[in-house]
Amino acid sequence: QVAAASGHTVVLVDQSDEILKKSTKGIEESLKRVTKKKFADKPEAGAEFIEKTLKNLTTSTDAVAVVHSTDLVIEAIVENMEVKNELFKRLDKFAPEYTIFASNTSSLQITELANSTTRQDRFGGLHFFNPVPMMKLVEVIRTPMTSQKTFESLMDFSKAVGKSPVSCKDTPGFIVNRLLVPYMMEAVRLFERGDASKEDIDVAMKLGAGYPMGPFELLDYVGLDTSKYIIDGWHSLEPNNPLFAPSPLLNKLVEEKKLGKKTGEGFYKYK
C-alpha cells in the first residue's frame, strides 16, 4: 500500500487468489481511512488518490513469473527460516542480476537468508512496523556482505515511500525488538515473581514511561506465540544470556492456545 501510494509499481504475491482478493480489499479500506484524514475537505482529490494508488497495484500467485522485471523484492512471509530460504533460493534463479532482495523479518538473521542466494551483496533487511501505513519507522539492515550501493538503495526506497529509515547491523532483533522483547520478558518475570500485578505494571509503564501500551497489553497485541518464537530463537543462539531466558508462564499460555488479542485471551481477556 505505501509503495503504491508513493508512485511505485507494485505486484503483491500470495498463495491464492482468495487471499489476494482479501488483501486488495483490505488495502482499499485502509486507503479510504488515509484519504479521510489526508483529503478531509477535498473528496475528489481523495477519490483520485485511491484510484491512482490501486492502478499501481496488481496481484499474482506466481512469484517466479513476476520477479523477471522487478527491481526490489520484499519478502514478508511466515517467520520460518527454512520456508524463507526456499523462497529466496527459487527467486534467485529467475530474478535479474540487478534485483535487490530484502526481508521484512523481525527476528531472523538476514545473513543466513542472504546465504541462500547468490546475491549476498544485493541483500538486506527492510523491517517495517505495524500498522505500516501509520508507522514512520523502517529498520534498514545491512549484513557484512551488503554492498554500499544496495544499502543506499534501501535507504532511498524507505524515504521514497515516506518513511524514516534507521540503519542497524545484522544483530538479533535489530534495534527496536532487541530492546523491546527483553523489556516485555522482564515485565513477565516481575509478574511471575509476584512483585506487582500485570495491571499495575501496565499502568506504571504508561504513566511513568509514557508508553502508549503497557508490556502485557503489547504482548497480547503482538501475539504470545510470536513473542515466544522470538525469545526461543534468541535463547538457542545465546543460551547463557539471562535477557533471553524463556518464561514458564508465557510457555503455559501459548500451550493453552491463549495467544492474545487474536484468540480472545492472553494475559487479558478480550470480548
Side-chain angles (χ1 to χ4, degrees):
Q1 180 188 323
V2 295
S6 51
H8 296 82
T9 308
V10 183
V11 185
L12 175 64
V13 178
D14 215 316
Q15 290 172 319
S16 71
D17 288 321
E18 199 183 323
I19 296 171
L20 288 165
K21 271 198 194 98
K22 208 174 154 192
S23 305
T24 310
K25 199 172 169 7
I27 289 171
E28 273 182 59
E29 294 302 318
S30 177
L31 284 168
K32 281 178 194 162
R33 286 196 295 276
V34 170
T35 48
K36 252 187 197 156
K37 278 185 190 166
K38 207 172 169 184
F39 303 97
D41 42 4
K42 292 183 243 166
E44 294 88 15
E48 196 184 321
F49 169 73
I50 292 178
E51 194 188 335
K52 223 165 149 185
T53 301
L54 292 173
K55 263 200 185 122
N56 288 335
L57 185 71
T58 51
T59 61
S60 172
T61 53
D62 188 351
V64 165
V66 169
V67 84
H68 287 290
S69 55
T70 306
D71 295 317
L72 173 65
V73 171
I74 303 175
E75 165 276 317
I77 65 172
V78 62
E79 281 285 84
N80 178 305
M81 188 64 89
E82 274 172 48
V83 183
K84 285 186 195 286
N85 278 342
E86 201 49 54
L87 176 70
F88 280 127
K89 206 177 276 177
R90 201 165 43 133
L91 296 184
D92 188 44
K93 291 190 185 94
F94 298 95
E97 204 172 302
Y98 58 78
T99 306
I100 293 173
F101 283 7
S103 175
N104 179 53
T105 181
S106 59
S107 67
L108 298 177
Q109 226 191 2
I110 302 291
T111 307
E112 196 177 325
L113 293 169
N115 283 338
S116 66
T117 72
T118 57
R119 60 186 78 223
Q120 286 99 329
D121 57 328
R122 284 149 290 152
F123 203 111
L126 274 180
H127 182 218
F128 290 82
F129 285 77
N130 257 334
V132 179
M134 312 293 293
M135 299 286 270
K136 291 290 282 184
L137 186 67
V138 176
E139 291 176 325
V140 178
I141 314 307
R142 60 192 307 178
T143 76
M145 298 97 74
T146 308
S147 72
Q148 186 60 22
K149 191 180 169 203
T150 298
F151 173 68
E152 283 166 14
S153 299
L154 292 173
M155 291 293 278
D156 290 345
F157 172 74
S158 303
K159 288 172 192 163
V161 297
K163 301 300 175 195
S164 302
V166 294
S167 84
C168 182
K169 286 182 181 171
D170 188 18
T171 178
F174 316 134
I175 298 173
V176 175
N177 282 326
R178 178 62 181 80
L179 297 173
L180 192 61
V181 174
Y183 148 74
M184 294 194 296
M185 294 301 292
E186 206 46 37
V188 176
R189 291 181 197 116
L190 189 70
F191 173 55
E192 275 178 320
R193 290 194 301 270
D195 294 341
S197 71
K198 53 184 188 282
E199 291 80 5
D200 282 356
I201 295 169
D202 277 354
V203 169
M205 291 314 292
K206 285 190 285 192
L207 302 186
Y211 285 16
M213 280 186 211
F216 293 97
E217 291 171 317
L218 188 54
L219 279 159
D220 278 354
Y221 177 76
V222 168
L224 304 193
D225 50 342
T226 306
S227 308
K228 173 177 155 55
Y229 178 80
I230 294 170
I231 209 74
D232 287 352
W234 294 357
H235 180 62
S236 64
L237 285 176
E238 295 181 34
N240 299 324
N241 189 333
L243 290 175
F244 299 163
S247 145
L249 177 57
L250 183 65
N251 291 348
K252 180 174 174 283
L253 288 168
V254 172
E255 221 169 272
E256 291 168 355
K257 302 276 187 288
K258 295 174 182 170
L259 309 180
K261 269 196 137 157
K262 60 186 170 188
T263 58
E265 187 177 349
F267 283 102
Y268 296 114
K269 281 193 169 119
Y270 302 87
K271 282 196 175 82

